[in-house]
Amino acid sequence: MAKPKLLLIDGNSLAFRAFYALINQVDRFVNHEGLHTNALVGFNNLLDGIVDPFKPDKALVAWDAGKTTFRTNTYDDYKGNRDKTPSELVEQFEPLRKMVELHGIKNYQLVDYEADDIIGTIAKQGELDGFAVTIVTGDRDMRQLVSDNITVWLTKKGITEIDKYTPELVAEVYGGLTPEQVVEVKGLQGDPSDNYPGVPGIGEKTAIALIQAYNTIPELYENIDAMKKSKRKENLIAYKHDAFLSRDLARIRTDAPLQISLSDLDYQGIQYEALIPFYQHLDFKQQLVKMANQGYTISGEKASAQQPIEVRELTANNLAHIENLGNEVDFYLEMDGENYHRAAAVGFVIGNAEHGYFASRDLELLYQDTPVYRCLVNSDVKKNVFNAKATYVALHRLNVPLDGVDFDLLLVAYLLDVNDNNNDLGALAHENNYFDVATDEEVYGKGAKFAVPENNQDFFEHLGRKAQAIGCLKNDMFEQLKAHEQMALYTDIELPLTFVLAEMEITGITVNADRLLSMQSKLIERLSELEQTIYQQAGHEFNIQSPKQLGVILFEEMGLKPLKKTKTGYSTSVEVLEQMTDVPMVESILQYRQLAKIQSTYVEGLLRVIHGSDSKVHTRYLQTLTQTGRLSSVDPNLQNIPVRLEEGRQIRTAFVPSHAGWSILSADYSQIELRVLADITGDPHMKDAFINDEDIHAATARRIFNIPAEVPVDGNMRRQAKAVNFGIVYGISDFGLAKNIGTDRATAKQIIDTYLNEYAGVKTWTTEIIEFAREHGYVETIAHRRRYLADIKAKNFNLRSFAERTAMNSPIQGSAADIIKIAMIKMQQTLQAKQLKSKMLLQVHDELIFEVPAEELDIMHELIVKIMDSAVKLSVPLKVETHEGKTWYDAK
DNA sequence: TCTCTCACG
DNA sequence: ACGTACGTGAGAGAC
């Protein structure tokens, strides 16, 4: 029989985690009485997401009792450097306990002891009494309690992601040490956050190595005389007292004098009825809606179960209603899949709050000359939609040329917070405090279970609620755009761009399938030859495409030295394999990988998505996904077609114009990101280089390697300078640069320092932009595209460093994205105004691809350059290069 | 569904 | 002492 389950939760540690996970939005989570609720929200998610599904037999949430404990008695400064707990969190402790109680779990605290000691003591008792014990905490030191019967669930980032620590995982993380040895490591290492010292100069790595060698701190000191003379030895001796003190402080007690026992901890289950008023008090609307949907009655003023909505079925007989909707309507077209180039429209809804909503499955009601059609194509009637591009393309397939779109909920939500990648209407509405609509997953299910309801009432109600949500959210979200100075970004860039992209997607690009098929047969032949060679070289057959199997062969059977590891085993990536090309098999593997990639991703992948009707591929540009404002391309991704290696580049010969005699014309911005950098930082040297149209990498090389004007820049120096320029754009580190140019770290650091001295404007800007991000919590582009950086103040070095690099990179990458988007809009307008036959087909971040009839080639070269380089006025010139050819391959 | 690898700017 | 360059999508294997 399975063991009974005992669940122990570290209330304090998790409340802090929950609080700080949502610290950026602390002022958004406030109830009607002014009580902050961010920690409560996070803790509730934890209880719902982890505890309730766990179904424990017994459970306890342990809390700290107060500031003084036996540890502060031993060591005055214990946790002495902690900031005072913010009052916004303090006020949440009482309701947190209540929340725990209503979830059927006992709270407990004990004077002079911390939550960990309570948990340690109960955990050991539980283990003795035959329970399977699980501890949930954010405190890494709790891993000392792990045993065969005690698992520690440690929260990672945020509070819903966890690592489950068993003795095996502890050993893995601590280089083979046991859970008991965690305190030995901590003793040497100390803990700055709890303000206890350890031994100076010893960090986690060294501490682990020492404990691996000596087992425990006492044993280490017994043998210390035999240790080689070193600074470390001196420190160990000098700080012996601190080591023992820290070890003692880190040890969790398992003998706290508790006044409760296991028999008091029976898990009672959730007290649903009592939770309702509690959630009402906290204004947990979403939880209440969920409970209402589960059939609980929610009454009172604060009740937030969905309000009833009336959605009438639209038929051929009541179309007159549509004539009377006025000059603003909410519209939503439902499809049965996400690829709107192929998915079938299955229903629609139209209406507004004033005149009601009308839904139907009958698409004929949209056809030409119906009132719905007239409404949709009339530019004087404002349309509020969700995902204008999808709606436009799908309606285009039904021969309805949508016009007059004013509000696109998806697009606006993205501009307000690019972090939020949720593409579900219901979920986005909830995030904007609108709860009168469910998510698609709740109504339609997901994956294989996805199905639009057969029942008209359910289906139309959901559609009606969606349209209503769009209409209701419009004003508030427009206000937010204005407050962020993003209205122009929306009306002048993103919204017009949506329709430019829609047209490009609809136009598609012709792919010569025969060409791909002939490449395919050659590839298959070469791959099978290589396969046989590799099997011979390995001595047996195996799956070449499995990194796991390949790792075993290379690093175990053949005894090669593993140069790099991944989370799960040996790395076999190109950078590793390229260092062992003296082994013939490795050469073959690299060759095989290269060809297999071309064959599966590009040849087969593209053949799969060519539309039978027009021999074209129609990608979808995702306009609301990237954190920087770039587009992305899916189904197929046409932004990563091979170009660097000749073998792959051949794929481009299959991309051809859609008419005989036409050409492919490509136009790319030269060094757009560095030009943006020069403009934003205002650095005079960098600007001069661009104003004088110099080779920027050579110019950089001259400055960082101090090469006089009369001496030519050699290729290697230019290559290094180029890497530095890239590094600057990405938010440089000496390690990263060293890896990239193959020098040591000190040299890389030297180069970076020289660069920043030479280009002082860049240096100043990088400090300022990080400063700005710290102060405001976000950075923005020249068009006010905003990116929030939640981790900019993180204590964790890695998270913070990443946020700092992002603060430098996003304005640059994002401003470059702004520029090409503006150029695309102007380009499309000009093609139309001049009634040219040429079509814009693709965008690849800094490059636009067109198909052009012979008679328009000259004018197009000229027009494109003119429009692209004048899209935005910067303090440095923009430079555009064009190329034409019979295929995309030849347009180089 | 996650991880690894590799294609692009 | 930390572990490192920014932004993407897709296919294949392993679980």
Side-chain angles (χ1 to χ4, degrees):
Chain A
M1 217 184 94
K3 289 183 177 181
K5 294 189 278 192
L6 170 61
L7 181 66
L8 302 171
I9 297 170
D10 186 342
N12 274 73
S13 130
L14 294 170
F16 269 87
R17 287 251 167 177
F19 179 79
Y20 283 106
L22 291 171
I23 185 73
N24 285 327
Q25 297 169 57
V26 67
D27 293 322
R28 264 188 63 192
F29 290 92
V30 180
N31 83 341
H32 56 280
E33 290 177 348
L35 173 74
H36 290 86
T37 56
N38 61 333
L40 286 155
V41 169
F43 210 92
N44 197 70
N45 288 342
L46 182 90
L47 292 176
D48 279 356
I50 294 183
V51 180
D52 296 334
F54 187 79
K55 302 222 178 334
D57 296 283
K58 291 177 186 291
L60 173 77
V61 176
W63 300 93
D64 293 351
K67 243 183 116 56
T68 58
T69 62
F70 71 88
R71 285 189 181 84
T72 51
N73 296 336
T74 322
Y75 177 58
D76 285 348
D77 292 336
Y78 180 70
K79 295 194 176 178
N81 60 347
R82 287 273 173 103
D83 290 340
K84 209 164 151 247
T85 308
S87 65
E88 294 90 342
L89 173 56
V90 172
E91 67 191 28
Q92 298 183 58
F93 279 122
E94 230 5 84
L96 276 167
R97 282 165 201 254
K98 172 105 176 182
M99 176 185 283
V100 167
E101 198 182 302
L102 294 174
H103 277 79
I105 304 173
K106 174 110 181 144
N107 287 296
Y108 186 67
Q109 60 186 304
L110 179 64
V111 175
D112 277 350
Y113 286 84
E114 293 186 60
D116 349 3
D117 304 308
I118 299 171
I119 289 178
T121 306
I122 298 260
K124 289 293 173 197
Q125 281 176 17
E127 183 172 34
L128 284 177
D129 287 6
F131 282 86
V133 184
T134 300
I135 297 171
V136 186
T137 180
D139 180 352
R140 311 178 76 75
D141 293 355
M142 291 281 247
R143 290 177 291 185
Q144 66 187 268
L145 296 172
V146 168
S147 73
D148 288 340
N149 307 306
I150 303 178
T151 308
V152 170
W153 291 10
L154 188 61
T155 56
K156 290 201 282 195
K157 202 175 156 191
I159 56 166
T160 41
E161 271 182 63
I162 49 171
D163 280 331
K164 299 182 178 179
Y165 278 86
T166 57
E168 292 73 33
L169 187 56
V170 171
E172 202 183 310
V173 173
Y174 275 93
L177 301 184
T178 63
E180 292 76 28
Q181 287 174 303
V182 169
V183 291
E184 312 291 341
V185 172
K186 284 300 291 225
L188 294 175
Q189 188 191 349
D191 188 333
S193 76
D194 285 351
N195 202 33
Y196 56 80
V199 177
I202 296 190
E204 187 173 331
K205 288 278 148 75
T206 319
I208 289 176
L210 287 169
I211 298 304
Q212 281 169 341
Y214 294 96
N215 272 324
T216 65
I217 290 178
E219 286 173 74
L220 183 152
Y221 282 100
E222 278 163 31
N223 295 296
I224 194 145
D225 295 339
M227 199 185 279
K228 233 177 34 206
K229 187 169 180 302
S230 67
K231 183 73 194 160
R232 176 174 300 154
K233 180 175 175 184
E234 281 172 37
N235 275 338
L236 281 167
I237 294 169
Y239 294 91
K240 181 174 176 181
H241 173 78
D242 283 346
F244 278 91
L245 172 68
S246 299
R247 173 176 178 255
D248 189 45
L249 289 171
R251 172 166 291 141
I252 292 168
R253 298 299 185 265
T254 53
D255 57 354
L258 306 184
Q259 277 141 22
I260 48 162
S261 67
L262 285 168
S263 57
D264 301 316
L265 305 185
D266 289 342
Y267 174 60
Q268 309 288 335
I270 302 177
Q271 319 288 303
Y272 287 100
E273 296 296 338
L275 261 179
I276 292 170
F278 180 70
Y279 283 160
Q280 283 177 328
H281 176 239
L282 295 179
D283 292 335
F284 276 14
K285 294 188 194 167
Q286 215 173 335
Q287 294 293 331
L288 289 166
V289 169
K290 217 196 266 173
M291 292 177 71
N293 290 339
Q294 285 164 9
Y296 289 93
T297 313
I298 293 172
S299 58
E301 212 185 358
K302 286 269 140 213
S304 292
Q306 292 189 348
Q307 301 294 321
I309 178 176
E310 193 197 347
V311 184
R312 278 168 277 181
E313 179 169 6
L314 191 68
T315 67
N317 301 322
N318 63 2
L319 283 169
H321 287 297
I322 306 303
E323 313 272 11
N324 303 322
L325 286 174
N327 60 4
E328 180 163 354
V329 301
D330 310 323
F331 177 78
Y332 186 85
L333 180 69
E334 192 70 272
M335 279 172 274
D336 65 359
E338 65 175 346
N339 187 338
Y340 46 77
H341 293 298
R342 297 171 183 269
V346 293
F348 68 91
V349 58
I350 188 167
N352 53 38
E354 195 183 342
H355 298 98
Y357 291 96
F358 303 88
S360 174
R361 296 180 196 262
D362 182 2
L363 301 175
E364 288 189 19
L365 299 177
L366 296 168
Y367 289 0
Q368 200 157 8
D369 290 333
T370 62
V372 185
Y373 178 93
R374 287 196 293 274
C375 170
L376 292 175
V377 304
N378 183 348
S379 60
D380 294 331
V381 179
K382 288 182 180 172
K383 257 73 68 178
N384 305 321
V385 301
F386 179 84
N387 196 347
K389 178 152 67 68
T391 311
Y392 181 93
V393 173
L395 284 174
H396 174 91
R397 291 168 57 207
L398 299 168
N399 295 313
V400 184
L402 176 66
D403 201 356
V405 173
D406 190 48
F407 174 62
D408 180 349
L409 172 56
L410 178 64
L411 202 47
V412 173
Y414 168 71
L415 295 181
L416 288 174
D417 188 356
V418 294
N419 250 321
D420 185 1
N421 272 331
N422 210 327
N423 273 8
D424 182 86
L425 191 157
L428 279 178
H430 299 166
E431 282 161 23
N432 284 281
N433 292 316
Y434 180 94
F435 298 101
D436 246 10
V437 60
T439 65
D440 282 344
E441 199 178 312
E442 281 164 346
V443 180
Y444 301 151
K446 69 167 175 180
K449 287 188 195 140
F450 178 93
V452 169
E454 284 176 26
N455 171 315
N456 274 356
Q457 198 188 333
D458 293 347
F459 182 42
F460 293 161
E461 176 176 333
H462 184 53
L463 290 184
R465 288 186 184 282
K466 283 187 173 187
Q468 189 180 45
I470 295 168
C472 282
L473 285 163
K474 177 177 179 175
N475 281 338
D476 178 54
M477 292 178 76
F478 271 172
E479 284 309 312
Q480 291 184 55
L481 278 183
K482 284 180 198 152
H484 293 183
E485 296 181 299
Q486 290 182 305
M487 207 61 195
L489 171 63
Y490 173 70
T491 56
D492 300 347
I493 302 182
E494 296 297 339
L495 188 60
L497 181 73
T498 271
F499 304 104
V500 173
L501 293 172
E503 288 295 342
M504 290 166 67
E505 294 179 10
I506 290 168
T507 302
I509 182 164
T510 306
V511 175
N512 180 345
D514 291 338
R515 172 83 201 154
L516 290 178
L517 288 167
S518 86
M519 290 177 77
Q520 183 173 45
S521 52
K522 286 182 202 140
L523 282 167
I524 289 175
E525 201 178 311
R526 291 177 62 193
L527 279 167
S528 73
E529 282 167 20
L530 272 168
E531 191 181 84
Q532 292 312 315
T533 313
I534 292 167
Y535 291 160
Q536 273 182 7
Q537 287 162 331
H540 59 88
E541 296 194 1
F542 68 103
N543 189 339
I544 303 168
Q545 311 237 64
S546 159
K548 196 175 170 186
Q549 294 182 34
L550 179 61
V552 170
I553 290 175
L554 291 174
F555 306 115
E556 290 175 18
E557 294 178 15
M558 301 177 65
L560 294 167
K561 209 172 121 207
L563 298 169
K564 200 178 138 195
K565 280 201 293 186
T566 66
K567 260 186 272 182
T568 53
Y570 312 109
S571 170
T572 66
S573 63
V574 240
E575 55 173 323
V576 171
L577 297 190
E578 272 175 352
Q579 294 174 56
M580 355 194 276
T581 41
D582 46 324
V583 182
M585 190 180 89
V586 171
E587 195 72 61
S588 313
I589 299 272
L590 285 168
Q591 185 78 22
Y592 184 94
R593 284 236 182 110
Q594 196 196 329
L595 298 182
K597 175 82 178 178
I598 296 169
Q599 159 66 3
S600 65
T601 306
Y602 297 104
V603 176
E604 284 185 356
L606 277 172
L607 284 168
R608 245 197 317 269
V609 292
I610 296 175
H611 285 230
S613 50
D614 60 4
S615 302
K616 287 178 169 184
V617 290
H618 302 266
T619 186
R620 281 179 298 135
Y621 288 105
L622 304 187
Q623 197 184 349
T624 59
L625 182 138
T626 69
Q627 302 291 296
T628 53
R630 276 190 175 182
L631 301 174
S632 89
S633 157
V634 294
D635 241 8
N637 180 357
L638 294 180
Q639 292 181 319
N640 72 346
I641 302 301
V643 66
R644 291 171 193 167
L645 301 174
E646 177 57 27
E647 206 101 47
R649 193 173 193 154
Q650 287 292 329
I651 292 290
R652 296 184 173 219
T653 61
F655 288 84
V656 297
S658 59
H659 304 285
W662 287 37
S663 300
I664 297 290
L665 200 165
S666 86
D668 64 290
Y669 280 114
S670 155
Q671 311 294 355
I672 189 167
E673 291 191 345
L674 287 172
R675 285 169 200 264
V676 167
L677 180 69
D679 178 78
I680 293 186
T681 63
D683 183 274
H685 298 316
M686 205 177 208
K687 280 168 67 175
D688 279 350
F690 284 122
I691 289 166
N692 301 326
D693 198 21
E694 290 170 36
D695 172 344
I696 184 66
H697 301 314
T700 306
R702 282 192 190 284
R703 293 207 160 265
I704 58 184
F705 299 120
N706 196 18
I707 308 168
E710 65 278 10
V711 179
V713 174
D714 83 65
N716 191 41
M717 286 186 173
R718 185 180 182 281
R719 191 182 59 80
Q720 297 202 14
K722 186 174 174 180
V724 174
N725 279 329
F726 271 101
I728 295 296
V729 170
Y730 293 153
I732 201 156
S733 75
D734 51 8
F735 186 94
L737 181 66
K739 197 166 93 178
N740 201 295
I741 61 178
T743 59
D744 58 284
R745 227 171 132 160
T747 315
K749 183 160 171 20
Q750 177 75 53
I751 294 177
I752 293 169
D753 288 344
T754 315
Y755 178 98
L756 292 175
N757 281 331
E758 289 292 326
Y759 295 95
V762 175
K763 187 179 188 178
T764 311
W765 179 78
T766 53
T767 23
E768 282 172 0
I769 192 73
I770 291 170
E771 199 50 46
F772 180 95
R774 276 202 202 110
E775 191 183 332
H776 297 96
Y778 68 88
V779 290
E780 60 182 6
T781 65
I782 52 176
H784 298 290
R785 186 187 305 285
R786 199 178 265 215
R787 180 174 184 178
Y788 291 95
L789 299 170
D791 294 328
I792 195 75
K793 291 181 179 170
K795 293 236 163 60
N796 179 315
F797 177 89
N798 288 325
L799 292 179
R800 191 178 63 249
S801 303
F802 184 65
E804 289 173 355
R805 292 196 295 272
T806 310
M808 298 185 249
N809 173 264
S810 290
I812 299 168
Q813 193 182 112
S815 298
D818 295 343
I819 293 171
I820 196 165
K821 283 178 170 180
I822 293 168
M824 290 168 77
I825 296 162
K826 292 192 174 168
M827 203 61 229
Q828 192 79 324
Q829 283 167 349
T830 309
L831 289 179
Q832 227 158 50
K834 295 192 179 289
Q835 300 196 339
L836 292 165
K837 293 193 207 120
S838 299
K839 297 255 194 234
M840 184 157 57
L841 304 180
L842 303 174
Q843 188 251 41
V844 192
H845 309 307
D846 62 358
E847 181 184 8
L848 296 176
I849 318 291
F850 300 82
E851 58 179 10
V852 180
E855 69 274 16
E856 291 180 5
L857 272 170
D858 289 344
I859 174 87
M860 282 295 284
H861 275 287
E862 195 188 315
L863 258 184
I864 291 171
V865 171
K866 202 170 102 192
I867 289 171
M868 285 176 73
D869 72 20
S870 67
V872 166
K873 179 92 188 96
L874 299 181
S875 58
V876 295
L878 289 172
K879 189 173 171 185
V880 176
E881 286 166 3
T882 56
H883 306 274
E884 65 176 77
K886 285 294 143 204
T887 72
W888 192 3
Y889 176 89
D890 303 295
K892 61 181 175 187

